[in-house]
Amino acid sequence: MKKAAKLGNGKKIIIISFIFIAFLIALASINEIQFNNLSNFKKCTAIHSPSSETSLLPMKSSENDIRILIGILTLADNHQRRHFLRLIYGTQTVAGAKIDVKFVFCNLTKEDQRILIALEIMLYNDIIILNCKENMDKGKTYTYFSSLPDMLKDESNPANPPYHYVIKGDDDTYFRLPKLVESLMPLPREDLYYGYVVPCPSMDPFVHYMSGMGYLVSWDIVEWLKDSDIPKRHLVGPEDKVFGDWIREGRRAKNRYNAKWSMYDYPEPATRCTHELWPDTVAVHRLKTQEKWVRTLEYFNVTQNLKPSKMYHI
């Protein structure tokens, strides 16, 4: 009997031991799952953290969205204009597109620029400083376009261009981004040259070139500009006309779009390039004074979405 009892106790101990070992294995598995979930959570947090390196493209951007870079050629000392334009473009909402607005100028030459512009870059990350001497018609536009492929190269996905379209714009031009995107939706994403045809009476996008107020080319033309010798032989002259010369000599842009009269100069003073403000506007040029900007923004009712609040009375 004693022997049987000992055997029974031994079996109980073995069973209890197995149960305890199984419990430890289950506990370890639960901890491992929790650790993995925590690790994944931390990884996701690192990707979306504001302190992470800013991506040129949004995490939630659809592959079908049009990707547009607007480079506004300006001067380093034009701090006030940049801050104003950030309001203009930062308050516009666009469906079906990812648009980045960058301010473009040449090498800094003064100590105060290095401090103030460094602060702007830290806060806004919307400045491109080209390796050139500041100029308007001596190669700045070429440096802008030809620098982009190396700046924006994505080694992990070379087949996917960072942008479908690149715009060179002036800082006295107001782009209405939803209308711009709407006009681009049906157009090709390759070999495209888009803008306001000059001379002003012309409606033929092949005669002669697109106005410097703001013209757009597809990414393949940007890459061609970087690699071609044609622009390098002809850099000096009115930048928009010179750009048109490159396109013509290189036999590029079989797809062209004349955005006239959705793009035009401000109505006053009246010239052959001006047009009255109207709802289908893509861009208004020659907004040289605050009064012209205010009248233009008022016409398009840009503050219509302002929410009522007890904090202000406007």
Side-chain angles (χ1 to χ4, degrees):
M1 292 292 291
K2 289 182 179 179
K3 201 168 189 180
K6 286 181 180 179
L7 288 173
N9 290 336
K11 287 181 180 179
K12 287 180 182 179
I13 292 170
I14 291 171
I15 291 170
I16 292 170
S17 298
F18 273 120
I19 292 172
F20 182 68
I21 291 169
F23 172 76
L24 291 177
I25 291 171
L27 183 62
S29 298
I30 292 170
N31 288 337
E32 183 178 359
I33 291 169
Q34 289 177 335
F35 176 78
N36 289 336
N37 288 340
L38 181 61
S39 298
N40 290 334
F41 174 77
K42 286 181 177 179
K43 287 177 183 177
C44 292
T45 304
I47 289 172
H48 294 283
S49 169
S51 63
S52 300
E53 184 177 351
T54 303
S55 173
L56 288 169
L57 299 178
M59 290 296 179
K60 296 181 180 179
S61 177
S62 166
E63 285 299 316
N64 294 323
D65 285 353
I66 297 175
R67 300 190 296 275
I68 307 169
L69 172 63
I70 301 178
I72 300 175
L73 271 61
T74 185
L75 300 174
D77 286 334
N78 287 357
H79 301 281
Q80 186 174 352
R81 176 56 59 90
R82 286 196 293 280
H83 294 320
F84 176 69
L85 291 176
R86 288 181 181 115
L87 292 176
I88 297 300
Y89 296 117
T91 52
Q92 297 189 54
T93 57
V94 184
K98 170 64 176 77
I99 302 178
D100 288 328
V101 178
K102 303 286 186 181
F103 300 98
V104 183
F105 38 84
C106 291
N107 289 323
L108 307 182
T109 57
K110 297 185 289 187
E111 190 59 35
D112 66 324
Q113 292 175 345
R114 294 185 178 92
I115 298 299
L116 297 176
I117 289 169
L119 290 172
E120 282 188 68
I121 293 171
M122 291 167 65
L123 183 58
Y124 300 109
N125 192 28
D126 62 358
I127 287 175
I128 295 175
I129 302 176
L130 304 173
N131 186 19
C132 57
K133 185 176 181 180
E134 194 61 64
N135 68 87
M136 183 172 69
D137 294 325
K138 294 182 180 179
K140 181 177 179 178
T141 296
Y142 169 72
T143 305
Y144 164 56
F145 280 106
S146 63
S147 299
L148 292 177
D150 288 337
M151 283 183 184
L152 305 176
K153 186 183 298 181
D154 183 0
E155 299 290 356
S156 64
N157 192 7
N160 187 25
Y163 297 98
H164 297 112
Y165 305 116
V166 176
I167 293 176
K168 174 268 161 185
D170 284 348
D171 65 5
D172 63 346
T173 299
Y174 169 47
F175 286 99
R176 299 181 69 220
L177 303 183
K179 284 293 183 182
L180 170 66
V181 171
E182 182 183 318
S183 70
L184 289 170
M185 286 293 187
L187 300 183
R189 293 188 179 181
E190 291 186 350
D191 210 23
L192 179 68
Y193 184 29
Y194 169 115
Y196 174 99
V197 175
V198 176
C200 295
S202 174
M203 296 300 290
D204 184 350
F206 290 87
V207 182
H208 288 283
Y209 58 92
M210 305 299 183
S211 165
M213 71 168 77
Y215 51 85
L216 171 152
V217 292
S218 51
W219 183 257
D220 56 300
I221 292 181
V222 174
E223 292 183 320
W224 171 78
L225 287 166
K226 173 184 177 293
D227 296 329
S228 175
D229 289 329
I230 291 174
K232 299 171 187 175
R233 298 195 298 262
H234 179 24
L235 293 175
V236 178
E239 63 87 18
D240 47 4
K241 180 180 183 301
V242 168
F243 190 94
D245 291 342
W246 301 336
I247 296 295
R248 183 175 59 257
E249 186 176 347
R251 298 186 179 182
R252 296 284 156 168
K254 66 177 181 295
N255 302 309
R256 301 194 185 191
Y257 183 82
N258 178 17
K260 195 180 294 181
W261 286 96
S262 293
M263 298 176 71
Y264 51 87
D265 284 352
Y266 186 81
E268 300 169 4
T271 69
R272 291 191 297 175
C273 300
T274 60
H275 191 285
E276 292 300 315
L277 300 173
W278 70 308
D280 284 337
T281 297
V282 169
V284 183
H285 184 220
R286 298 197 181 279
L287 300 175
K288 300 290 188 184
T289 65
Q290 182 167 312
E291 180 186 5
K292 290 181 178 180
W293 272 102
V294 169
R295 287 179 60 187
T296 300
L297 298 173
E298 184 178 34
Y299 175 85
F300 293 112
N301 197 14
V302 297
T303 59
Q304 62 184 328
N305 294 324
L306 179 67
K307 295 178 181 179
S309 172
K310 294 179 181 179
M311 300 293 290
Y312 46 74
H313 304 281
I314 296 179

